[in-house]
Structure formats: C-alpha cells, structure tokens
Amino acid sequence: MRAELTSLFGLNIYTNTGVYVGKLQDLVIDVEEQKITGLAVSDINRELFDLSSRGVIIPYRWVITAADIIIVRDVIQRYKKRKED
C-alpha cells in the first residue's frame, strides 16, 4: 500500500495496549538510505515521558501499523518501568 507521507501528519499514536502516546508532528527520513527512521511526536502523554520538551522522537522500527491511527509497540511502557526501578 502506498500513501502520501503528509496524510500521516496529525494522526494519534497509541501503543498496542491502547495507551495514548501523542500526535505525529513530523517524520525523520534518512535520505541516503531512502527510509523513514523516526517519528517526531508532539502533544506527548506526560505520564509516559518525564520530559520538559514539547515532543520526542521514537524509532520507526516500533511502528506496527499506520492507518486512521498509528500503533506502536508497547516498549515505551516497559522502558518507563525499568527507569523507575
């Protein structure tokens, strides 16, 4: 399936367990490799990310699917738990 990259901007991002992550603001593209390497996320869920910045970049390899919403692997929750220990 082919889609225009701009059609993804503004989509909500959730983990595969249903936790809201944020909204897709932009894409990180490796021009030499001709592939997407990351998602620039804004309006981030402050319960997941303890940051003062307005957004984060998550690796594209975490993406499971992108259609009406973007679903990413639940590694964010696992990282947060490890950090708290």
Side-chain angles (χ1 to χ4, degrees):
M1 180 182 117
R2 291 183 174 248
E4 288 189 29
L5 295 177
T6 57
S7 68
L8 300 174
F9 296 154
L11 291 181
N12 290 321
I13 302 172
Y14 291 89
T15 66
N16 57 334
T17 58
V19 177
Y20 177 76
V21 176
K23 286 192 178 292
L24 181 65
Q25 182 70 33
D26 207 349
L27 299 169
V28 180
I29 300 174
D30 183 340
V31 178
E32 290 178 8
E33 297 276 330
Q34 298 182 357
K35 65 180 183 178
I36 299 170
T37 59
L39 305 178
V41 183
S42 65
D43 299 329
I44 57 173
N45 181 346
R46 296 292 174 188
E47 293 178 15
L48 292 179
F49 301 100
D50 186 25
L51 302 170
S52 59
S53 64
R54 295 182 0 175
V56 296
I57 295 178
I58 59 174
Y60 186 73
R61 67 179 178 271
W62 291 359
V63 174
I64 296 172
T65 189
D68 294 332
I69 62 171
I70 298 172
I71 299 175
V72 296
R73 288 184 173 70
D74 194 27
V75 293
I76 296 167
Q77 288 284 62
R78 287 187 228 147
Y79 174 75
K80 182 181 176 193
K81 288 179 185 175
R82 257 192 268 147
K83 185 179 177 184
E84 290 174 352
D85 291 340

